[in-house]
Amino acid sequence: MINIEEIGTLDKRVTILKYEDVETQYNLTQKKLIPFLKVWARIEPLRAYYEQYKEKTEDLSKITIRYRDNIDNSMVVQYKNRLYRINAVIDPYESHVKLELMCSIKKVGVDDGN
């Protein structure tokens, strides 16, 4: 069982963005990233995984936040001017204390299917 002290230092203020359909001036809809939630987080590179598969992977990070039940992998995390695409949302031990968001850096102009 994880208790709240085991989360660690949440020292980064991040914004979780989600895609929503927005109507344009021509009555067309397009998906835009809309701010959904501001939370405190810890951002760590996934060094061990990265070193093992260095030539195959992109830059991966683990973003830890307090537990929320409305976070999913269709969302994006913004920290300063960097965007992280959420690849997986993990609730360790199903304890509902923290969420570990396994993320990759979202490249500008790259369509990720959303």
Side-chain angles (χ1 to χ4, degrees), residues 7 9-10 13 22-23 33 49 71 94-96 98 108:
I7 290 179
T9 305
L10 305 179
R13 191 68 166 164
V22 176
E23 193 168 311
L33 282 174
Y49 182 81
I71 305 296
E94 295 293 321
S95 62
H96 299 342
K98 69 178 179 176
V108 176

Side-chain angles (χ1 to χ4, degrees), residues 25-92:
Q25 63 184 6
Y26 302 110
N27 293 331
L28 301 172
T29 58
Q30 68 181 44
K31 292 201 178 285
K32 283 196 150 191
L33 282 174
I34 306 294
F36 175 64
L37 189 62
K38 283 189 181 247
V39 294
W40 289 99
R42 181 176 68 225
I43 302 174
E44 306 171 81
L46 290 177
R47 286 189 197 101
Y49 182 81
Y50 180 75
E51 291 299 323
Q52 184 178 0
Y53 302 102
K54 186 182 282 186
E55 65 280 347
K56 297 180 185 176
T57 64
E58 50 197 325
D59 292 333
L60 298 173
S61 298
K62 177 173 77 171
I63 299 176
T64 304
I65 63 172
R66 294 187 196 285
Y67 178 80
R68 302 264 183 177
D69 61 355
N70 54 357
I71 305 296
D72 61 45
N73 63 354
S74 68
M75 298 177 175
V76 175
V77 178
Q78 179 181 18
Y79 176 64
K80 295 187 179 179
N81 61 350
R82 182 169 281 180
L83 292 176
Y84 296 90
R85 182 178 53 244
I86 300 174
N87 299 325
V89 179
I90 300 170
D91 178 9

